[in-house]
Every structure is written in structure tokens, then in C-alpha cells.
Amino acid sequence: MFVLVFWNSGWLPLFQRMKGGFYGLRGRQLALITIFLLCITYFIWAWKKTPSVPSLMPPQTGLNLSSEILTSPSEEKTKDKQIQEAKTDVGAQGPTSLIGVQGDNKKSLELVSKQAEVDMAAPASSPHTSSPFRGKDDWNITIPIENQDCNHAKGKWVPDNNRPLYSGFGCKQWLSAMWACRLMQRTDFAYEKLRWQPKNCKMEEFEGSKFLRKMQDKTLAFVGDSLGRQQFQSLMCMITGGKERHDVIDVGKEYGLVQAHGDARPGGWAYQFPGTNTTILYYWSTSLCDVEPIDKTNTTTDYAMHLDRPPAFLRQFLHKFDVLVLNTGHHWNRGKLKANKWVMHVGGVRNTDRKLAMIWKAKNFAVHSIVNWVNSQLPRYPGLKAFYRTISPRHFVGGEWNTGGSCDNTTPMSVGKELSKDESSDQNAADAVKGTGVKLLDITAISQLRDEGHISGFRRNTKPGVQDCLHWCLPGVPDTWNEMLFAQI
Ligand SMILES: *[C@@H]1O[C@H](CO)[C@@H](O)[C@H](O)[C@H]1NC(C)=O
Ligand SMILES: *[C@@H]1O[C@H](CO)[C@@H](O)[C@H](O)[C@H]1NC(C)=O
Ligand SMILES: *[C@@H]1O[C@H](CO)[C@@H](O)[C@H](O)[C@H]1NC(C)=O
Ligand SMILES: *[C@@H]1O[C@H](CO)[C@@H](O)[C@H](O)[C@H]1NC(C)=O
């Protein structure tokens, strides 16, 4: 091992030059050689005393070099090859290239690092694992893979040839054409091949079948705006691998989500996978407030937007959900409120508090309200795992969505840039869930790094000069939100 490191760290040429010099040794050269040999002797002595070879290697690869691991079981071979390809792609960031081993050695080290990852993931190595959720539940399939330090929002984006998890051409059944950038004029697709790698924990690899098993007889509901719908479509594609599934049952009716004839915008969708009776649902609520007509007999009526009352849909169906993912944010502006004819209400009456009427305050108040309400329901539904998903960042540069703002970068500039902040970049959301049983699905900072992942100006039918730097190309960034979600349920 020592020789290996020595051989590959640029000492070889120096050694060769010195060897050439043995024909005409001069005093200075002799002195150099002596110092050199002394150094080696010291190194070997120090090494023998404390054989800490692993400390010369990146920590991930330094755990176990026993011969048992060096022999690769044949069934591991294909997987191993994939891992190798993926790691080769990472280039200089891959652990092996730091050591510079080659051929079979490289392979064995890959296996070692894989073993190390498995070790990190093993329950035994993380005795402090505890469910972030309160109450007893029946989630026996959940394998605790997080240590206490695990914060999925810390880490970095790495290239991975095993991404994306579905095809943007193939997932026509679940994916809206307006978000499938493979169907647009976009020609660069590096943005599809990034994986989020948390720093202190291994995120359990997403697999559709594993997800469905975990969610057997359970219902997962996304409730929120179009970004929530993106996450819903992404999850449907991830579960099916983008393959057509004609056995999946439309159970929208059970939730009152019947698409009225001619209504282009149903309240949502619900689908059940027959093998495991897993239901995935999306309900469209842009504000997470209860919204109702002020005068039902008036066709041009205004709407009461109850800042402190959860949407009727949630009150009606919460008992049916096992996992709930809430989000809101981008509809909180004067323009949207006016267009929707929404009038803020608190305590059942029109809001007269001018401070609260400020949009950011009202939004914050509404987010706190919905989180507190869900939290208040948890004792009744102890199996419920509720998440509040933090704000999805926009990347308009040089203007707003309607004033020529753009996001033209196509190079994933984020690769390798490490996030290590403990606090969420969405402080309001973090404050709202603090002290409650609602968990933060913290996607803000990691998505902030992905300015190249938006629809941008690639959609064919958008007006010239108008870009979408809010919604994401799918497959893309919301897939990672679902991987993070999967790792936490
Ligand atoms: C290394 O692997 C061997 C064989 O699998 C095992 O017996 C040993 O406990 C391992 N050591 C460590 C430190 O993991
Ligand atoms: C979960 O495990 C506990 C203890 O092992 C067991 O009593 C319980 O029946 C299990 N629940 C389910 C749903 O399998
Ligand atoms: C799914 O639901 C159907 C009908 O409710 C039931 O017959 C079937 O046993 C369920 N399957 C599983 C795997 O729970
Ligand atoms: C209907 O509602 C609008 C908006 O609040 C209001 O301007 C109008 O006077 C109402 N019409 C009737 C008949 O009440």
C-alpha cells in the first residue's frame, strides 16, 4: 500500500533522475540521496509503528481491505460495473482517482468503498437512530439508515450515469408535455445526469418496487401549487420507471377529484397501484388556505381566503393519508390575489389588520396555521408522516417572468459545490415546523444550485422573450426532492 501511494504521487520521476546520477556522484547529490533515504527510512519506521495506511486515503475507502471483500461475488458484477462507470464519470472527484490505483486494484477498492457505504448505512453503526415522527407506527419495513447528524440538505451534486430514473420521452402517461424538456427544443441534457449526494448520510437508493413495498396499503398526498404537481408527476414517473402502466387505477372519485366535463383544471388526481394498493394523489391548492365564495348566488363573487383555516379537502381526507407533502409560495403576490378575487379572512371574517395584510406576513401566517393544524391532528393519526416542503427557488435573471427575466445557463455550474449550512434557506418554513411533528422537506438550497434545470425558453409555444425559470425540466430537480422524501418515509 505504501509503495502504491508512493509510486503514484509523483515521486517516480524524481527517483529515476537520481538513479541516472549514480554514474557521477557529487557531494551535493550524495547529500540529497542521503536525505531522501533517511526520509524513506523514517516513513517506513513511522508506518510500521502505526500502520495507518487508511489515513493516507480518503476516509470512505479506508475501512476494510480484507481479502474477502476483494473477491467480487459474480452477481455483484453488473452492478459493480455500473458503479465504476458512474464513478469514472465523476472524474477527479472519484475516490479512486485520488489514490491512482489501476486495474483490478481499482475494482477492489470500489468494492471496499461500497462496503464502507453499506457500513455507514447499517443500523448497527447508528445506535442513535430515531424516527423524526412522533407516536407509534407500523412502518416496520423502514430501515433506519440515517445517523443523527444526517441532514439531507447538506451535500453536493455529483454526475451519475444512472440518472435520470426515467425517460423524458417515455413517461408520457404521467408527465405533462409542458414540463418534458426532451419534447422541447432543448438539446443539452447534462442536467438530467446529476444526483444529490448528502454529506453525512447515504440516501437510500430509490427503486419503484421498494417504494411501493414501503407504501403498501398506504396513501401519499401532495397538496400544493404547480411545483407540488411537478413533484407528483415526477414521483409517478419514478415509480413506473417511465413505463406505461395500464393496470394503474384512477381513484380520483374517492377523493372527489372528478374532472368535470370541459374543466381544464381539475382539483387533482389520484392513482392506485393495484399490486400494493398504494395511492399517489395530488390536490391543487396554491395557498394552502381554505378558499370559498363569499356569495354563492353571485356569479362574479369574491372569494374568502381563510388564512387560518386548512383547505376543506384536507379537513375531509387527512384521515386517509399516510404521507402528506405540503407546499406553497409562488402564488403569494398581489397580482395573483387580485386575479383570483381572493380576500384575506382571519377568524372567519375579512381581515382588517393592515400589518397582516402584507403579503409576506400573510403567507407566513398561513404556513404557520396549516403546519400547526396538521400538527394538532397527529395524535389522532399517529401513523401520519407530514412534511412541509420548503420553497422551490426561481432563477430569473435581468427581470421577472413577465419583464424579460431569463435563465440561459445550461452548464451545471453546481457540480462539486458543497452545501454545509445547518440552517434551511427557507427560514420561514423552518420556523413554522419548529417544535411540531411536521418535518421539513428542505429542498431550497440544493435546488438553488440548479439554475440550469428550468424550462427556460425551450418550450415551443411560449411567447418570445418569456422564459420559465420557476418550473423545472422533468426528469430533473424534483426527482431529487422525491429521493429525499423516499429516504425519510
Ligand atoms: C473487515 O472484514 C472482515 C471480513 O469481512 C471482518 O471480519 C472484519 O470485522 C472487518 N473489519 C472491520 C474493521 O470492519
Ligand atoms: C411491527 O413490529 C412490531 C414489533 O416487532 C410488531 O409487534 C408489529 O406487529 C409489526 N407491525 C406490522 C404492521 O408488521
Ligand atoms: C388491495 O385491495 C383489494 C381490494 O380492496 C384487496 O382485495 C387486496 O387484498 C389488497 N391487496 C393488498 C396487497 O393489500
Ligand atoms: C357580486 O360580487 C361582486 C364582487 O364582490 C360585487 O361587485 C357585485 O356587486 C355582486 N353582485 C351582487 C348581485 O351581489
Side-chain angles (χ1 to χ4, degrees), residues 303-360:
Y303 291 81
M305 174 199 206
H306 297 281
L307 299 181
D308 53 353
R309 193 191 289 171
F313 177 83
L314 267 183
R315 284 181 277 141
Q316 191 177 353
F317 294 110
L318 187 73
H319 69 279
K320 297 185 82 165
F321 302 154
D322 300 280
V323 178
L324 174 65
V325 183
L326 300 166
N327 88 279
T328 185
H330 296 292
H331 284 252
W332 289 88
N333 58 66
R334 291 273 165 224
K336 291 272 188 201
L337 259 65
K338 199 161 170 231
N340 291 328
K341 302 207 278 177
W342 284 351
V343 180
M344 290 182 196
H345 278 56
V346 177
V349 297
R350 186 185 278 255
N351 174 50
T352 50
D353 182 341
R354 301 188 90 183
K355 270 192 195 155
L356 182 59
M358 288 192 287
I359 293 285
W360 69 270

Side-chain angles (χ1 to χ4, degrees), residues 6 8 18 30 36 60 67 120 122 133 136 183 344 410 428 437 451:
F6 162 75
N8 284 277
M18 294 183 71
L30 263 178
F36 180 65
Q60 216 186 18
S67 58
M120 277 165 66
F133 299 99
K136 274 180 63 160
L183 307 178
M344 290 182 196
T410 53
N428 289 338
D451 63 327

Side-chain angles (χ1 to χ4, degrees), residues 76-90 110 114 117 158-167 182 189-197 202 205-207 238 241 475-476 479-480 483:
E76 289 278 289
K77 274 195 177 132
T78 334
K79 225 176 165 186
D80 191 34
K81 195 164 158 249
Q82 285 167 357
I83 287 171
Q84 260 192 44
E85 279 166 8
K87 293 217 169 151
T88 309
D89 232 36
V90 179
E110 298 281 4
K114 215 168 100 193
E117 282 164 15
V158 295
D160 188 338
N161 264 340
N162 292 326
R163 294 296 184 277
L165 296 168
Y166 55 91
S167 148
R182 285 274 177 181
F189 296 103
Y191 72 89
E192 286 186 346
K193 292 195 161 292
L194 294 183
R195 174 173 57 81
W196 177 250
Q197 188 174 289
K202 170 139 168 64
E205 193 79 13
F206 186 96
E207 267 175 43
M238 287 166 74
D479 303 343
T480 300
E483 291 183 74

Side-chain angles (χ1 to χ4, degrees), residues 206-243:
F206 186 96
E207 267 175 43
S209 56
K210 245 192 325 193
F211 178 89
L212 291 174
R213 269 203 312 276
K214 228 182 195 184
M215 290 294 294
Q216 169 137 3
D217 297 317
K218 293 190 186 337
T219 298
L220 186 157
F222 293 103
V223 176
D225 60 25
S226 55
L227 278 305
R229 192 175 153 207
Q230 285 215 293
Q231 194 178 355
F232 161 73
Q233 293 195 359
S234 155
L235 183 60
M236 290 302 288
C237 291
M238 287 166 74
I239 293 171
T240 56
K243 307 254 162 40

